[in-house]
Amino acid sequence: MSHPAPEELLLDYAAGTLAPGPALAVSLHVALDPAARRMVEKLGALGGALMEGEGEAPFDEALLQSTLARLDGIAVESRPPPYVPRPGFEWVPEPLVRHLEDGMRWKRVFGGFEEMRISLPGEHRVSLLRLEPGRGLPMHRHVGEEFTVVLQGGYTDSTGNYGVGDFAVGPGPEQHEPIADPGEPCIALIVIEKPIVLTGPFGRFLNPLVRRGVI
Amino acid sequence: MLSPDEAADLIEAIAARQDRAAFANLFRHYAPRVKAFIMRGGTDAETAQEVAQEALIMVWRKAASFDRGRASVATWIYTIARNKRIDLARRAGRPAIETEDWLTVFAPEEADADKSVLAGQTYTRVKELLGGLSADQLVVIQKAFFEDKTHTAIAEELKLPLGTVKSRIRLALGRLREALEKEES
C-alpha cells in the first residue's frame, strides 16, 4: 500500500504557500510519485484558470516597450538536458540536487544511524537520514509537525510500511519507532518543525541536546 | 482573447526564433492578469507591476522549456508568477524557497509522457469546473491560491474550524479529481 501526501498539503505546495522545508519534502514526493505529480499538475491548472479568470489590472503600454527593450540583453535559454543522477547518488531526485553541497558527508549520530543536515531558511530542521537494514531510530514522539519522504529502501513502524516515494506525516503525540526494512539501507528526508522528544531510557539526558540541535 | 492553442503557438515562436511580436502579444494578455493575481495577495500596484514584468521576462528566458503537452500556457505562467511571488516574500525578509524548484515540477518527463496529451483539455475542463463549485468551496480555493495563505491561516481568517476549511478544500479537490480522472480513463 502506498502512502500519499495529504491533498491539502499538495494544494499548499501548488499554491506556493509552504515553508521551505515542507516544500522540499513535498517536491521530492511529487518527483517520485506519479499520482502526486498528476494531482499537482491539476492544481497548477486550477491556479492557471483562477489567474486567467481574475481579470486584468491596468497596465501601461509604455511598460511593454521598456520590457521589449530589456529583452535585447536577455537570451532565450535552450532546454536543459534531462537530469542524470551522479554515480553513487542514484537515490537523489532532481529537486534535491541543488541542496546537496560538495563535500557533504554522512555523519554518524547516536543511535546507530547517519545524518546529513540540509541548510534551508525557515523554522524547520531538514535532514537526510540513513539507516542500515534492521536498525531503528530511537523511540521518539513528535512535538510539532514532521514530514518524511523515503528516497531509498524502506521502513516499517506501527502505522505501516513505507517505500520509495512514500510520504509520512508526523502522527502527533503517539510514540513510534521506525525500523529499516531488509535490503538496501533506508534513506529518507525528514523535516521537523520542532525538535523531537526522545522517550527511551536515555531520553531525559539527551533531550536538552536535541533541543539545541547538537544531535 | 487568446485561446490556449494560440498562446502555446506564441511561446513556441519565442523558443524557435526569439519572436518579439509573439512576446508582445503574450505580454498584453498575461501581464495585466499576473499583476491582478499578485495584487490579490495584498501587494501594491507598483510592485505587482514589476513582478508581472519580471514574470513575463522569465517566460521569454524559459520559453524553450515550455511543453504544450504537459501544461497549458495559463498554468505555466501561473507557476512562474507564483515563483515570483515567493521571491517577493523572500525580499520582504520572510523565508522563501529556491524558485527554480517549481519549474522542475512542470519539466517534461518521459516516464509519464503518455498522460500528457490531455494538458490542454485539463485546463479547459478545470475552468468549467470552477464555475460549478459552491461559493464556500470557491472562497477557500481562491484564498489558498491568491492570498498566499496556508489552510491554517485561511481557517483563522474566516473564523472557521480548521476541520471545516480542510473538508471544503477536500470536497473541492475531490470534485476536481473525479471529473478529471473520469476523462482520463
Side-chain angles (χ1 to χ4, degrees), chain A residues 7 14 41 52 58 98, chain B residues 20 29 35 70 82 101 177:
Chain A
E7 273 182 355
E41 284 173 358
E52 185 89 53
R98 65 183 62 85
Chain B
R20 297 166 73 93
H29 183 80
K35 182 181 172 184
R70 289 207 55 92
R82 179 195 58 190
D101 282 355
R177 184 164 26 77

Side-chain angles (χ1 to χ4, degrees), chain A residues 59-69, chain B residues 27 49 53:
Chain A
F59 225 98
D60 198 342
E61 179 71 16
L63 205 88
L64 171 57
Q65 298 313 321
S66 74
T67 310
L68 284 169
Chain B
F27 189 96
Q49 179 152 302
Q53 187 185 28

